[in-house]
Amino acid sequence: MNLSRTALALALSSSLLLAACSGSDEPEESTDTRSTAADNGSEAGSDTTDSGEQSGSTGDAADASGDAADASGAGSSGDAAGSTGDAADSTGDAVGSTGDAGESTAGPTDDDGTVTAPPQGAGVISVEEAEKVAAELMRQAAQSQNADPEEAAELNESAFAGSELRAAVAATSLREVGIEPVIDYHPTGPNVLAISRDDGESPAFMVVQTVPESGLPELHLMTSEDGGENWKIGWSAPMLAGTEVGTFAPRSEGSTVIREGKAGLSNYPSYVVDLLFKILDYPFAEERPDFRTNDYGPQVRKAADEQAASVSEQASLTQEHSLRSGTLRTIELADGSALMFPVLERKSTFDVKDGMILKPPTAFAHFAEDDTITDSAEMTTLVFLAVHVRADGGDPEVIAAREQVVGGTGS
């Protein structure tokens, strides 16, 4: 399968992969399954994935071994299908459009000097200030990845909020055992794609795109709980190869935040999240909903199947997902469709059979402070997704994905 390097450093790595043995402290076999691939500059390929799905991703694929639970990061790319299951074959460069050409101010005029249509609204923050805020937050975020633990903790609190803060704290902790963050908060040239319209409600949002020197573009959702006065990064994920953001309303006019209901969308945002559960929960449902995941879904399912098979004699695996509180954030695009930025919480549970011992990988052992499991083990992973929800009846589509292990318990 052809997968982009940044696109695949993903959560397949963040699930709990356990080496297992019976009555011994030594594992019988390795369950390492990390894969990497070249960058997204090569021609798209087509590989068959599980359940007859086809991938249409970019980059030359290559397999590599490693402890898959010891990394977290970006989603993979190129998942295609017909009318059921995960579909893809998205086209277009992985870049966003601000829709700012000809941004209007109050009372624009035509050639005769006649006042034409006024702006539909105003962004919660000016474009100039938004660019300054984005640049400063990205600078702090990038610095946090290289600072010593004490300074990193201060930078994390300053730059991040909510789920992104929890992920950043976990990533900082994992650096102590040699596990580097996969997300690349690129500190220069952030592009503010959208500013939420001032509707008198909170939180307010900015959608920002950065382009690391290596890898796919990354999206960031910046949030303000006080009407645009103070901002932090609340969500980040690399885009999947072959996807595009689309065009938002002019930033000066602001983009509508769909805070309740579904506006003109084909599906309620909460229903779209329910569909994601059906795709990702393990054991998997026999039928999958119509949903384009650009290979993210097949990669997660493949990893779960391999994990379950590798420990089937020692333990049983279940994976359940839930929506993190306050993360059903939906911002309208200019064409009436919208982008959602949900954060899911995955609980991967291994129930150990009598007389068996599971040897956890480094990330799990670090959080659980236990290197042998005889009863049960649970890994907590945050799943950051950007989902395009259409207004024309088309299938929802995952355009960005990232996973981060944030905790583990076991006995």
Side-chain angles (χ1 to χ4, degrees):
M1 180 179 299
N2 294 332
L3 299 172
S4 157
R5 185 181 191 84
T6 302
L8 180 62
L10 169 53
L12 318 178
S13 62
S14 67
S15 302
L16 179 59
L17 298 184
L18 297 174
C21 65
S22 174
S24 168
D25 288 339
E26 296 298 324
E28 288 183 351
E29 60 180 279
S30 169
T31 58
D32 297 341
T33 58
R34 186 180 310 162
S35 297
T36 61
D39 63 35
N40 64 326
S42 60
E43 194 148 324
S46 175
D47 290 306
T48 302
T49 60
D50 59 295
S51 302
E53 296 172 19
Q54 261 192 345
S55 68
S57 57
T58 58
D60 296 326
D63 293 331
S65 61
D67 195 342
D70 289 354
S72 62
S76 49
S77 57
D79 173 6
S83 59
T84 61
D86 301 337
D89 275 343
S90 301
T91 60
D93 296 331
V95 295
S97 175
T98 64
D100 278 338
E103 283 187 1
S104 57
T105 56
T109 60
D110 60 19
D111 292 340
D112 297 326
T114 304
V115 175
T116 57
Q120 297 185 23
V124 73
I125 185 175
S126 71
V127 175
E128 294 77 9
E129 187 63 22
E131 291 173 341
K132 292 178 182 178
V133 169
E136 175 60 18
L137 285 176
M138 294 310 302
R139 184 194 65 79
Q140 293 180 21
Q143 189 176 351
S144 73
Q145 294 186 305
N146 301 304
D148 61 55
E150 183 175 348
E151 183 182 1
E154 294 178 359
L155 288 166
N156 287 341
E157 290 288 342
S158 177
F160 305 119
S163 299
E164 190 74 8
L165 175 58
R166 187 180 181 191
V169 169
T172 298
S173 179
L174 286 171
R175 282 168 45 194
E176 298 175 11
V177 290
I179 301 172
E180 295 297 323
V182 177
I183 191 72
D184 184 1
Y185 301 105
H186 195 60
T188 59
N191 184 15
V192 178
L193 302 182
I195 300 171
S196 64
R197 183 166 298 170
D198 188 356
D199 58 6
E201 299 188 44
S202 290
F205 302 104
M206 292 191 293
V207 181
V208 175
Q209 184 184 63
T210 58
V211 184
E213 293 179 2
S214 61
L216 292 171
E218 295 177 353
L219 294 179
H220 310 274
L221 186 68
M222 298 182 178
T223 66
S224 170
E225 297 289 347
D226 54 8
E229 291 296 323
N230 296 283
W231 295 86
K232 294 189 176 182
I233 302 171
W235 177 103
S236 297
M239 295 182 66
L240 304 178
T243 64
E244 60 184 0
V245 175
T247 302
F248 289 95
R251 297 173 298 176
S252 59
E253 297 184 15
S255 297
T256 299
V257 178
I258 301 176
R259 300 188 186 274
E260 59 182 23
K262 67 174 184 176
L265 302 179
S266 301
N267 294 300
Y268 285 91
S270 58
Y271 176 70
V272 174
V273 172
D274 288 340
L275 297 182
L276 287 168
F277 296 159
K278 293 180 180 179
I279 292 171
L280 301 177
D281 282 357
Y282 184 88
F284 302 120
E286 291 185 5
E287 295 185 3
R288 290 191 294 276
D290 296 338
F291 211 116
R292 304 176 70 182
T293 72
N294 291 293
D295 207 37
Y296 172 73
Q299 288 295 319
V300 171
R301 291 193 296 274
K302 179 181 178 181
D305 281 334
E306 290 177 349
Q307 292 170 47
S310 69
V311 298
S312 60
E313 294 185 3
Q314 292 79 27
S316 60
L317 168 67
T318 58
Q319 280 187 353
E320 294 184 347
H321 296 77
S322 61
L323 178 68
R324 293 267 293 170
S325 176
T327 68
L328 196 61
R329 300 160 294 199
T330 308
I331 302 176
E332 194 171 78
L333 291 159
D335 64 0
S337 63
L339 280 187
M340 291 174 51
F341 299 89
V343 179
L344 310 185
E345 184 170 278
R346 173 186 301 147
K347 296 290 187 180
S348 299
T349 303
F350 288 79
D351 290 315
V352 183
K353 298 177 181 179
D354 291 343
M356 298 296 175
I357 298 174
L358 294 180
K359 292 285 292 182
T362 304
F364 178 86
H366 176 71
F367 287 122
E369 298 182 346
D370 192 350
D371 59 3
T372 59
I373 305 299
T374 58
D375 183 19
S376 65
E378 183 177 270
M379 179 76 87
T380 302
T381 303
L382 297 188
V383 182
F384 297 79
L385 300 175
V387 183
H388 182 210
V389 185
R390 305 183 57 138
D392 60 3
D395 299 336
E397 178 185 10
V398 177
I399 68 165
R402 162 195 171 209
E403 301 195 0
Q404 173 68 57
V405 177
V406 296
T409 59
S411 59

